[in-house]
Amino acid sequence: MAVKELTFLVFVCSWIVSTTGDEIFTSTDKISQLIEEEKDLLDLVSLYIDAEQKNLQEMKSLLLQLQLVSYLNPYDSEKIKDPVASYKLLRRVRTEWLSIVDYAQKSLYKTFQTVLTYAQIPQGEDWRGAASGLIRLQEIYKLYPHNITKDTALTADEAYYVGLVAYSEEKFQLAFLWFLYSLERVTEYSTITKQELLHYLCSSAYHFGSLPVAIYFCQLHLNLDPDNDDVKVLLNLYKYLRSQRTSFPDIFTLSTESSKYETLCRGEIDERTSQRQRALSCRYSTGGGNPRLMYAPVKEEVEWDEPRIIRYHDIISDREIEILRNISRPLLSRAETTRGVSKNRTSQGVFLDESWNIVVSRVNQRIADITGLSQDSPEDLFVQNYGIGGRYEPHYDEWDGENGRIATFLIYMSDVEKGGATVFPTVGVALKPEKGSAVFWYNLHKNGNVDLQTQHAGCPVLRGNKWVANKWIHEFGQEFRRPCSLSYWE
């Protein structure tokens, strides 16, 4: 076997082993891994082409030899009556064919097909998910395309696709802005045409309710394509509708309508809430007198008093964080709920039980010491990574499908440059991720009812890499740790 062929086969085997089982989504770590996989894939294709070219050259040499033999030893089908001559012809053709087959079987095409089967090529869902993440960032943080692309510009075709995703999600104002961004960047090398972009700009403006803008872009479209009857009909329709209306929204000003969740994600905190938070206290805590914390109390900060939300500082070391992240990376998969893949939670996660590493056991024990709650029936530690626009929309943690979750202990395993806050929309509190810290709250009142004020959400990551670990603690086993109450108010 030729050196290049052997090199190619070795590369294939090692590459398949390294990529099998991976899932591409918007995890920041998987995106980083994709950079290396792209380089490996291109190297692999280059080796495949070299090996095939060498094999083809040898086949061409064989063909010339066989053609020469045939030319020097011609046979006339009308004159062959000698059985020896027939034998010689049969043997020659048979030998020729076997030689051709032998070289054809040296082709690495089937091996290359195996590569294509195992290759972790981003799927349409991954591409659309990344575009949808950009749109979500744009929507929540009130950004324009030029804000999002300040560090990394998009081509006309790339921006056009983001606009299409926004258009399909009926976010027409955002789609319009992406189509406009794309129009400004169209070149002779772009796949998308100005006519297509003008069509979508016209349609988006109409759906958004800005008829003057729709008419303007329809007219530009007609100027480029004067014989387009469909555009003429739309233009006349929009002009008629405009004559029936007197006011229109400004399409270039992003809508100011926002949910409490969105305003908190943007850092728009009510001044009264800020004053109330500033009046809260910090202290060292022994977890209610836990012997393990008597000589090493934890730093406890009250983030909110009702419901009581506590932040514990420096409860996990950088080394422990790195171990948990390294364990989790190859195991991460798309976050799911009891109904399947979650559309409201765009992250990848994995449950880690104590058999994985002593660090998991230590973290679980630390949570039990700090909270004073029994670990007789908790869920395993759930490690998550949030990527492009990664978020978890407003929700409650009170139920996992089988058991009541009495409390949540959320550990931040990374800082986040922009975005990624944990917010409580009902009470107006926003908590910034702080590596090594954790926040804790009760999801249930003492009477067993859900505390509606504990609705919370994970804001989209605007810039950075967000790692967290959740520990959901169940009701069972807490009877003497947090006694029940018959009072409606407790």
Side-chain angles (χ1 to χ4, degrees):
M1 182 179 289
V3 174
K4 286 188 177 180
E5 293 174 351
L6 183 60
T7 303
F8 172 74
L9 290 175
V10 171
F11 202 119
V12 167
C13 293
S14 62
W15 191 78
I16 287 175
V17 169
S18 68
T19 58
T20 302
D22 284 349
E23 179 186 23
I24 301 173
F25 183 58
T26 53
S27 163
T28 309
D29 274 49
K30 289 296 176 68
I31 294 297
S32 300
Q33 180 182 332
L34 192 59
I35 296 172
E36 293 301 318
E37 289 186 6
E38 180 188 35
K39 179 181 179 298
D40 290 344
L41 184 60
L42 295 178
D43 290 343
L44 195 64
V45 173
S46 178
L47 286 171
Y48 167 68
I49 292 172
D50 290 345
E52 289 288 47
Q53 283 179 338
K54 185 177 186 304
N55 193 47
L56 285 173
Q57 288 174 352
E58 292 177 349
M59 287 187 72
K60 286 179 180 179
S61 298
L62 173 65
L63 177 61
L64 288 173
Q65 294 174 22
L66 296 177
Q67 287 174 332
L68 181 61
V69 171
S70 177
Y71 176 76
L72 295 174
N73 299 279
Y75 282 94
D76 187 338
S77 59
E78 296 296 326
K79 296 181 179 180
I80 290 184
K81 295 181 180 178
D82 181 358
V84 176
S86 298
Y87 166 77
K88 285 174 63 67
L89 177 62
L90 289 170
R91 187 179 185 283
R92 192 177 84 193
V93 173
R94 171 66 178 170
T95 302
E96 289 173 351
W97 179 249
L98 288 177
S99 298
I100 293 171
V101 168
D102 182 53
Y103 273 95
Q105 288 179 338
K106 289 181 180 179
S107 170
L108 297 170
Y109 176 72
K110 289 185 178 179
T111 305
F112 189 66
Q113 287 293 304
T114 303
V115 170
L116 298 181
T117 300
Y118 283 96
Q120 295 297 299
I121 306 300
Q123 303 300 307
E125 181 181 348
D126 295 305
W127 191 8
R128 182 184 177 89
S132 188
L134 290 178
I135 294 162
R136 190 62 175 154
L137 290 174
Q138 181 186 12
E139 185 175 39
I140 288 184
Y141 295 110
K142 301 299 180 187
L143 301 174
Y144 292 87
H146 69 268
N147 299 131
I148 297 177
T149 60
K150 183 169 57 176
D151 296 325
T152 305
L154 295 181
T155 65
D157 294 326
E158 292 166 340
Y160 166 69
Y161 181 77
V162 178
L164 280 184
V165 173
Y167 191 91
S168 69
E169 294 178 358
E170 298 186 355
K171 297 174 180 178
F172 298 112
Q173 184 186 17
L174 304 183
F176 176 90
L177 295 173
W178 282 108
F179 293 137
L180 190 62
Y181 178 96
S182 177
L183 184 66
E184 294 170 352
R185 286 156 180 77
V186 170
T187 69
E188 58 181 309
Y189 304 107
S190 301
T191 302
I192 189 64
T193 65
K194 288 186 177 181
Q195 288 91 327
E196 290 175 290
L197 287 168
L198 289 170
H199 161 74
Y200 276 107
L201 283 164
C202 176
S203 179
S204 298
Y206 165 71
H207 284 296
F208 180 70
S210 185
L211 287 170
V213 177
I215 291 169
Y216 173 77
F217 284 103
C218 270
Q219 186 63 61
L220 289 182
H221 190 179
L222 190 61
N223 293 345
L224 286 178
D225 190 5
D227 298 325
N228 193 319
D229 292 333
D230 291 338
V231 178
K232 291 178 182 177
V233 170
L234 283 177
L235 186 57
N236 289 331
L237 172 62
Y238 295 163
K239 286 180 177 179
Y240 169 75
L241 293 174
R242 181 186 183 184
S243 68
Q244 307 300 308
R245 296 176 60 180
T246 56
S247 62
F248 304 94
D250 181 0
I251 198 165
F252 297 102
T253 301
L254 289 172
S255 172
T256 57
E257 293 183 9
S258 299
S259 65
K260 187 68 173 177
Y261 157 57
E262 294 172 343
T263 58
L264 287 171
C265 286
R266 290 196 296 272
E268 298 171 11
I269 308 297
D270 182 85
E271 180 58 29
R272 288 176 297 179
T273 300
S274 297
Q275 290 178 353
R276 184 170 169 181
Q277 280 188 292
R278 287 195 292 269
L280 299 174
S281 62
C282 300
R283 64 175 184 174
Y284 284 100
S285 171
T286 61
N290 189 297
R292 291 189 182 88
L293 301 179
M294 292 299 291
Y295 293 103
V298 291
K299 303 170 187 175
E300 180 181 281
E301 178 184 3
V302 181
E303 293 279 9
W304 198 247
D305 53 357
E306 188 60 41
R308 193 169 178 81
I309 303 171
I310 306 294
R311 187 192 291 264
Y312 296 98
H313 295 273
D314 303 321
I315 62 105
I316 184 171
S317 69
D318 288 348
R319 176 60 179 160
E320 289 172 324
I321 287 173
E322 192 59 30
I323 290 172
L324 291 179
R325 286 166 57 162
N326 288 339
I327 294 171
S328 303
R329 278 190 182 95
L331 305 171
L332 293 172
S333 61
R334 179 71 184 273
E336 296 188 4
T337 65
T338 54
R339 296 182 180 180
V341 174
S342 173
K343 294 183 179 179
N344 294 327
R345 177 198 290 169
T346 53
S347 68
Q348 290 194 327
V350 59
F351 282 99
L352 300 179
D353 63 36
E354 296 188 356
S355 66
W356 282 104
N357 192 282
I358 188 63
V359 170
V360 179
S361 178
R362 286 208 301 260
V363 169
N364 286 338
Q365 183 60 58
R366 204 166 300 152
I367 293 171
D369 294 341
I370 292 171
T371 63
L373 295 175
S374 168
Q375 298 292 303
D376 290 342
S377 64
E379 295 175 46
D380 290 331
L381 194 68
F382 186 51
V383 176
Q384 296 179 86
N385 177 230
Y386 290 83
I388 301 171
R391 70 189 190 282
Y392 194 1
E393 294 187 354
H395 63 284
Y396 297 96
D397 280 352
E398 86 289 353
W399 196 250
D400 74 340
E402 296 180 3
N403 300 289
R405 290 169 169 168
I406 193 173
T408 295
F409 198 92
L410 173 62
I411 302 172
Y412 296 113
M413 300 202 300
S414 68
D415 295 313
V416 180
E417 293 176 49
K418 292 183 181 180
T422 303
V423 299
F424 293 76
T426 306
V427 294
V429 174
L431 308 178
K432 182 177 175 61
E434 182 181 318
K435 186 178 180 181
S437 73
V439 289
F440 171 74
W441 67 88
Y442 284 101
N443 300 304
L444 305 178
H445 290 294
K446 288 185 177 181
N447 59 20
N449 292 331
V450 178
D451 187 343
L452 298 179
Q453 295 188 94
T454 63
Q455 184 193 53
H456 59 285
C459 297
V461 177
L462 183 56
R463 185 178 300 279
N465 189 3
K466 182 180 179 181
W467 282 88
V468 298
N470 283 86
K471 188 70 173 180
W472 290 296
I473 304 169
H474 290 173
E475 288 179 290
F476 181 76
Q478 316 305 338
E479 293 82 359
F480 300 104
R481 308 290 182 104
R482 191 181 189 238
C484 299
S485 171
L486 298 179
S487 171
Y488 178 80
W489 305 106
E490 291 187 312

